[in-house]
Amino acid sequence: WWLTDAELKSERVRVPVIALLVPEVDNPYDPGAVAVWINGLKAGHLSGEDARLYRPGILAMQRAEQSPVAVPGVIAGGGMDGSRTRRLGVFLSVDRDKLSGPSG
C-alpha cells in the first residue's frame, strides 16, 4: 500500500499522517471539490458537504499563509475479515472554527 508501510493482508493499521487540503478549481466533475493529499499522493476528496463547509476557509488560509493547508489525521483499518482484506479509511482532525471560513 502506498500510503503506509503496513502489510495490510495480516495486520490492522493506525498510522498518523499530515494531509494537505487542496481546492480543485479545475475538477471537471465538481468545481467545488477539495482534494486530500498524503505523502505526495491524492488519497481522495472531502465529502461534498465538508467541501462546501470548509472550502472558503481553506482558500482564505492559503491566501493568508501562501501555502497549502495541512491538517493532522490517521489512516486506519486493514487487517483480515474472514477471507477479505478490510479497507482503509483516512480520518482528519480539523479545527472547524478555523476552517469554516468567513461565511461558515
Side-chain angles (χ1 to χ4, degrees):
W1 180 254
W2 40 266
L3 290 176
T4 75
D5 292 333
E7 180 61 43
L8 294 182
K9 294 199 183 288
S10 61
E11 62 184 276
R12 293 181 59 80
V13 298
R14 185 170 181 84
V15 180
V17 295
I18 298 297
L20 299 180
L21 303 179
V22 181
E24 291 185 330
V25 296
D26 60 349
N27 185 308
Y29 304 103
D30 181 2
V34 176
V36 177
W37 287 79
I38 299 172
N39 294 335
L41 299 167
K42 188 189 307 186
H45 292 85
L46 295 183
S47 70
E49 180 180 340
D50 285 345
R52 282 187 294 281
L53 177 63
Y54 297 128
R55 186 179 171 96
I58 292 168
L59 290 168
M61 287 178 67
Q62 280 185 326
R63 281 191 296 274
E65 298 174 13
Q66 296 295 307
S67 66
V69 174
V71 297
V74 64
I75 297 173
M80 295 298 291
D81 181 11
S83 63
R84 296 182 330 163
T85 302
R86 291 186 175 138
R87 295 179 187 231
L88 293 176
V90 176
F91 302 89
L92 303 177
S93 177
V94 299
D95 180 336
R96 291 177 189 266
D97 293 332
K98 190 174 180 181
L99 283 186
S100 61
S103 63

